[in-house]
Amino acid sequence: MSLRRVVVTGLGALTPIGNTVPEYWQGLISGVSGAAPITYFDTSKFKTQFACELKGFNPEDFMERKLSRKMDRFAQYAIVSSDEAIKDAKINLDNSDKDRIGVIWGAGVGGLETFQNEVLGFASGNGVPRFNPFMIPKMIPDIAPGIISIRNGFRGPNFATVSACASSANAIIDGLNYIRLGYADIIISGGSEAGVAISGIGGFNALHALSTRNEDPKTASRPFDKDRDGFVLGEGAGCLVLEDYEHAINRGAKIYAEIVGGGLSADAYHMTAPHPEGIGAIKVMQNCIRDAKISSSEIDTVNMHGTSTQLGDVAEAKALNDVFGKHLYSMNINSTKSMTGHLLGAAGAVESIASILSIKEGVVPPTINHFTKDEEIDENINFTFNSAQKRNVNIAMSNTFGFGGHNACVLFKKA
């Protein structure tokens, strides 16, 4: 059967370096770090005392207080970014076939803070089972797409994808395929996460996954640097309006880029560590390129998963060599997590927006905080260290990998 083409017609972002898409992009190309001491709770007894929190965010600026209190922060973030994207796409909510508009949303852990606070409340209440009546709907990851659909009346496909840090990339790929196959004309897709909480920092500290560079948070996320010591936890949301090409043309929508490929794979190796030879990363990029029906030599830039962990950065760099060969040395490679931190389930969406804007603006954001060369990583790769670089970008790739060995890869092409 003939598959329909899919384009991106709207964007929304809520990030540690900007609370709108223009602010986020300006933060990226300026090389701004979103890392700072945590303000949400007392960190004095934690190994890691900093994160990439949102700045100046108040949910009541975007929604009624009564509604915001019924939602965990991750769902609030979903509302804000999807509102921006829907407005950006200029979807006429009064004159659209809402049966043909769906929402597919990713979250790695959902309402982590809600669950944490309810358990803490129970433990401090002499065992009396007094729980918030909204505890369950605030906690479940699928409440985010549910609320977006309720808010806008969208009656098309509606569900959540959960694959740890690959969750929102999975959501985008599902959105791509639902439109390709004719099940919807528009899919509101993306992801949100609010893991900067007692249990989030404590849990990742127990895994020895987070940087502990408390004396200098802004330089703590340093992908591909020899002295990297773990990732920096971030929070926020990203939203893409995916649309059937013909549908977008017929309503006169602006088109940011075409989404031409999506790839998935599994490491089948370890709960939290990547395959040391990058086998899953190799497969997911190859699958994505095959799905797009292009050659690897046509790709100009890759926004890597690039978390700033010792094992992950080396494995992904090895995978790039295997997939791209000599063409790798003419590409721009980067990791925007050096600025935003790791947004977990929201990473795929937020980083896809960076890839799309690289195409639109002809600029590749930097990988900041590079100080010392790592002999295990090919020094001839252009990782766009420390400063943005101008480049005509025709096709951009975005990689996301999650605990459990989940890998997702998306390809965007100039419209």
Side-chain angles (χ1 to χ4, degrees), residues 382-412:
N382 178 8
F383 286 106
T384 323
F385 282 135
N386 297 325
S387 298
Q389 294 178 15
K390 292 184 178 180
R391 178 188 181 120
N392 179 38
V393 180
N394 188 51
I395 300 179
M397 173 179 279
S398 180
N399 285 344
T400 47
F401 312 141
F403 282 178
H406 311 294
N407 307 308
C409 176
V410 190
L411 273 169
F412 300 95

Side-chain angles (χ1 to χ4, degrees), residues 3-237:
L3 298 176
R4 302 198 300 175
R5 293 171 64 187
V6 181
V7 293
V8 180
T9 58
L11 299 174
L14 182 60
T15 79
I17 60 172
N19 292 351
T20 65
V21 169
E23 291 173 1
Y24 167 52
W25 178 246
Q26 187 59 47
L28 286 177
I29 62 174
S30 301
V32 173
S33 170
I38 291 170
T39 63
Y40 294 163
F41 58 93
D42 180 8
T43 62
S44 58
K45 296 182 180 179
F46 287 77
K47 295 177 183 176
T48 296
Q49 300 172 359
F50 62 94
C52 288
E53 297 177 339
L54 298 182
K55 314 296 189 295
F57 174 75
N58 180 358
E60 293 173 31
D61 291 339
F62 303 93
M63 65 196 79
E64 294 179 359
R65 183 170 185 267
K66 184 177 179 180
L67 176 61
S68 71
R69 287 168 60 87
K70 294 178 181 178
M71 291 188 287
D72 186 90
R73 286 188 294 122
F74 96 97
Q76 295 173 358
Y77 300 167
I79 290 294
V80 174
S81 66
S82 62
D83 278 357
E84 182 186 9
I86 292 165
K87 182 179 180 181
D88 183 43
K90 294 181 169 61
I91 298 172
N92 186 337
L93 296 177
D94 296 321
N95 191 29
S96 297
D97 184 355
K98 294 184 180 181
D99 292 341
R100 301 282 301 168
I101 303 177
V103 186
I104 303 176
W105 202 259
V109 292
L112 177 67
E113 187 176 46
T114 289
F115 182 74
Q116 159 203 294
N117 290 344
E118 292 297 316
V119 171
L120 288 174
F122 173 73
S124 63
N126 300 316
V128 178
R130 291 174 180 161
F131 291 90
N132 188 309
F134 291 99
M135 173 188 169
I136 299 301
K138 287 175 71 172
M139 186 181 70
I140 53 179
D142 60 290
I143 204 66
I147 291 173
I148 294 169
S149 71
I150 293 166
R151 187 173 179 83
N152 298 284
F154 300 148
R155 295 182 293 270
N158 188 283
F159 59 91
T161 54
V162 180
S163 50
C165 306
S167 295
S168 56
N170 268 116
I172 292 167
I173 294 168
D174 277 359
L176 165 68
N177 288 327
Y178 270 70
I179 296 173
R180 274 177 168 176
L181 295 169
Y183 294 119
D185 296 324
I186 297 174
I187 295 288
I188 312 302
S189 188
S192 55
E193 207 79 272
V196 183
I198 292 169
S199 49
I201 295 293
F204 283 119
N205 268 161
L207 278 171
H208 302 285
L210 295 180
S211 170
T212 57
R213 204 178 297 273
N214 295 313
E215 72 285 356
D216 192 10
K218 290 190 180 301
T219 68
S221 183
R222 46 178 74 186
F224 320 117
D225 187 271
K226 182 178 181 179
D227 297 323
R228 63 192 181 276
D229 70 330
F231 72 82
V232 177
L233 191 57
E235 61 171 354

